[in-house]
Amino acid sequence: MAQKIKDFLQSTFLYRIYLFFVRNFRKLKSSIIKATNPLYRFYTFKILYPSAYRKAARKPVDENKVVFIELRLPTLTNSYKLMYDTLYANYDFDIHCHFLRNTYVKRKVYRKNCVKMLKDIATAKYVFFDEATNVTAHVKFRPETVITQLWHGCGAFKKFGYSTADAIFGASRKDMDKYPFNRGYTNVTVSSPEVIWAYEEAMNYSHESGVVKALGSSRTDIFYNKNFIAKAYDTLYSVMPQAKGKKVILYAPTFRGRVAKAKTPNILSPEFMKYVLGDEYVLLFKHHPLVRKRPNIPEVCEDFAKDVTDEMTIEDLLCVSDICISDYSSLVFEYSLFERPMIFLAHDLENFFDWRGFYYDYFELAPGPVVKSTTEIIEYIQNIDKLFDKERVHAFREKFMSSCDGHATERIMDIMFADALESHRRAEPLPEKPYHLIPHSDDFVIEEETENDDDNDSESEAETEKENETEV
């Protein structure tokens, strides 16, 4: 009887109207968002965010407050970890963290996260960013606040920011000028003097401003720590016991497409690599953290290949890998510190160049073979003792990583905090711990203002505008 009633209802004209609206609701919703987006952006970036900051900035600056701002992920990224742990263990600053969750939460939630963050940094003495954001596009920072952009990558590989203006990946220059992503920095830290020009171009700073400084990348200091490297091997063997007694090949590609819908290439053949190299090597996959859907590794390769994206950090993997296969990722700059072989699997080089472009000629830049297939990779690895050019990697390291000598964090802190460091130094350092994993700073309260907002849209800021600022 129930089935008959269902069949009857589905045959009626009203049910057809219902189906029409259900099927077209998403299209209608998307059209409404697109039509109203200019007004929404104007209100959010030019009115809501600046006013929230200005109101909170009426209070005096808290000389003890340090704020870390994470744009997307729910924990501090590797760009911050060493800086955060060093500050917390050795100094008594009041450290706050904000996790904006761009592209991961509803637009309304993201906006509230941004407002809360802006109210907090309005009275902060020191602020850290590690990624570009247009949240501060029209916020005029108070001059007492020291704002440092640590950035999340080294060197200068694929273009970003103003360098991609009017390109496929980037927005129009007009839009970038209207809602700029890199505003108000006191310092931008880069890995060597060689790349200062690229960051000045991408972030629209003049060379005379002196904002971009070759102080090194804080995150690279750990590569000079023998205890860290030893722990990385322990992690490897606990995650993949089969790696003991074998050499490690790391495959770590960058993402494709836009940030909100990042994809990973699926060009490497683990089956073929296992058949030829399985007796001597293991293969580890590390996909970009923005990629949410990753290719599966065939069951037949489980004793040879493993996706360790969620189990090992990229820092651990760079320490334990004997060979690194990448494409257009800036991690190759960090890997050059070990002066080990690199292979560049650039099967879509022409498309990627049209999409984003590079700061340097790709073939001249790459300190290793540029290949397009698994077969070429295998052939190189089989003859690696003859083909590996260590001097070329060394020259690459000297050119792009000369400021990453194991003391970058110390230099950045000296520039950013100046004389305040000594007055905040703890009498005795706290015991060594990964403080960045402990949620110390999520317990402060900022007064919430009532907002007449029924926006339950699931699209975030980045999904309603053309993104152009990630160089990872």
Side-chain angles (χ1 to χ4, degrees), residues 420-456:
L421 282 178
E422 283 308 311
S423 62
H424 285 275
R425 189 181 296 275
R426 296 184 189 276
E428 291 291 334
L430 297 178
E432 185 177 348
K433 283 185 179 180
Y435 293 105
H436 58 269
L437 299 178
I438 305 171
H440 293 112
S441 55
D442 223 9
D443 54 358
F444 62 93
V445 177
I446 299 274
E447 261 183 49
E448 293 292 341
E449 294 182 1
T450 303
E451 221 180 313
N452 295 321
D453 190 351
D454 295 324
D455 179 9
N456 290 316

Side-chain angles (χ1 to χ4, degrees), residues 389-405:
D389 187 349
K390 189 171 182 177
E391 289 185 5
R392 187 178 177 188
V393 176
H394 177 76
F396 178 87
R397 170 184 174 172
E398 289 298 303
K399 182 175 183 178
F400 294 106
M401 299 294 288
S402 59
S403 299
C404 297
D405 56 0

Side-chain angles (χ1 to χ4, degrees), residues 55-71:
K55 184 177 179 180
R58 294 170 187 168
K59 297 178 181 179
V61 166
D62 182 349
E63 298 287 334
N64 301 316
K65 190 195 293 187
V66 180
V67 181
F68 288 81
I69 300 167
E70 172 53 48
L71 186 65

